[in-house]
Amino acid sequence: MIPLSIPHLAGNEWNYVKECLDTGWVSTAGAYVGKFENAIAEFTGSLYAISCMNGTAGLHTAMNLLGIGSGDYVIAPNLTFVATLNAISYTKAEPLLLDIDPEDWQMDLDLLQRFLEVDTYLRDTACYLKKDDRRIAAIMPVHVLGNMCDMDRLAALADRYHLPVIEDSTEALGSTFRGRHAGTFGIFGTSSFNGNKIITTGGGGMILTQDEKLAAHAKHLTTTAKTDPMDYFHDEVGYNYRLVNVLAAIGLAQMEQLPGLIERKKHMDAFYRKRLDGVGDISFQRVTEGVDPNCWLFTFRTRRMRELLNYLNKRGVQSRPFWTPMNQLPMYRSLPYYTQSDHAAQVHATAISIPSSSGLTDGQLQEVVDTIKEFYRN
Ligand SMILES: Cc1ncc(COP(=O)(O)O)c(C=O)c1O
């Protein structure tokens, strides 16, 4: 089987984990947590990086820190992994869905602009939905597959409408827009180190922010809001969202390899684009101008997606469909959805992800290409 997106653990993982086990520092205290946070901050150019147990917890924490809750809306794209919407739902706020651009698969900024101009109004320093006078508390762009939207334009719109930006940058570690790293544009950004991501800790996440006070509060809230090193005094409802030392140790080892992993992903992306160009009716995701993507998971569109999916999986080429749009899931069906022609549904019906594991050889990539070509010949 040629795997879709499996971990590549080829560096100091064993050494660092062994050190944790040898010294007994496996849990919530230990030096690797800080070292991993520093490595992420340094790599992304973020002033602060606060680790947490997964990307979902990071998104949830970001919204908690902004006081987002019951009665609020948070704008999110309709095509994302379900965790984006779940995190919004945990706060009791309601997601307000926006369609995506059919070419780059990110939130459609033309649609966003029209929506803000036509359907919202400003009062004091907040934005409200005209229909029901409820506050729109934040906007959450998702950097789908490591691509991004035009972040300058998004930031300008967000500024004009007083909308804090929380970036779901869980898939975009290493991606940049005009030289600046994903996750550092918004008031918060988030990373995920889930098993299929560009680096992994098994499970883990990181909250990025450029604000010292918010960073301190994020650390506080994710570590049970304890105020005293000795006494068990907690000054708010905190969370046990910590990333443990043994996982941070894996994370540090992975960070040491990240530049090489990104290089490998870019090579794969170029390999696939060159050899699949013009094959069948295949079309690729457009990379937004100004974005240098991490090329995390190679995905393309074809009208024969279902057939191709079965064909590849039967032949040991592990492939996956794209996320079901949020408005098609039972718990999110009745959410407000702003769209003109439901591009999210069209992309979902046609997109397929193919093997992009960092450890794949060029020979394996060629096998994937040959199997796809064989499918279109039949
Ligand atoms: C777009 C998106 N948002 C959120 C998440 C949640 O991250 P995690 O699985 O670390 O909770 C993921 C990854 O799994 C994701 O791909």
Side-chain angles (χ1 to χ4, degrees), residues 53-57 59 80-81 83-84 142 168 170-171 191-194 196-197 204-205 296 323:
M53 68 182 198
N54 55 47
T56 314
L59 292 169
T80 182
F81 179 58
T84 313
V142 179
D168 182 337
T170 44
E171 300 183 350
S191 295
S192 165
F193 313 118
N194 183 25
N196 66 359
K197 294 295 186 288
W296 165 56
W323 309 300

Side-chain angles (χ1 to χ4, degrees), residues 9 13 16-17 20-21 25-29 32-33 36 51-54 193 199-206 242-255:
L9 304 160
E13 288 85 356
Y16 295 169
V17 168
C20 294
L21 299 179
W25 290 102
V26 294
S27 189
T28 55
Y32 282 112
V33 174
F36 183 39
S51 57
C52 55
M53 68 182 198
N54 55 47
F193 313 118
I199 66 159
T200 186
T201 58
M206 197 70 72
R242 283 178 274 228
L243 185 73
V244 295
N245 200 45
V246 73
L247 297 185
I250 297 175
L252 183 68
Q254 288 271 284
M255 276 308 285

Side-chain angles (χ1 to χ4, degrees), residues 209-286:
T209 183
Q210 314 313 310
D211 183 300
E212 187 180 359
K213 274 200 188 128
L214 286 175
H217 200 177
K219 189 52 124 179
H220 188 61
L221 205 60
T222 51
T223 56
T224 73
K226 192 165 180 277
T227 56
D228 189 278
M230 178 66 76
D231 287 309
Y232 289 93
F233 191 85
H234 309 258
D235 62 355
E236 59 183 314
V237 179
Y239 294 82
N240 184 6
Y241 275 178
R242 283 178 274 228
L243 185 73
V244 295
N245 200 45
V246 73
L247 297 185
I250 297 175
L252 183 68
Q254 288 271 284
M255 276 308 285
E256 292 166 356
Q257 299 160 76
L258 180 57
L261 293 174
I262 293 172
E263 208 176 294
R264 188 70 200 146
K265 294 275 189 185
K266 283 178 183 293
H267 168 79
M268 286 181 186
D269 187 86
F271 191 102
Y272 279 145
R273 279 182 192 256
K274 186 167 169 209
R275 286 163 179 79
L276 291 176
D277 190 25
V279 174
D281 66 339
I282 287 177
S283 64
F284 303 121
Q285 182 187 28
R286 190 188 64 209

Side-chain angles (χ1 to χ4, degrees), residues 278-299:
V279 174
D281 66 339
I282 287 177
S283 64
F284 303 121
Q285 182 187 28
R286 190 188 64 209
V287 176
T288 307
E289 202 191 319
V291 173
D292 184 13
N294 66 358
C295 303
W296 165 56
L297 182 67
F298 197 81
T299 303

Side-chain angles (χ1 to χ4, degrees), residues 337-348:
Y337 175 31
Y338 290 83
T339 176
Q340 287 196 314
S341 38
D342 203 2
H343 294 305
Q346 294 162 33
V347 171
H348 167 246

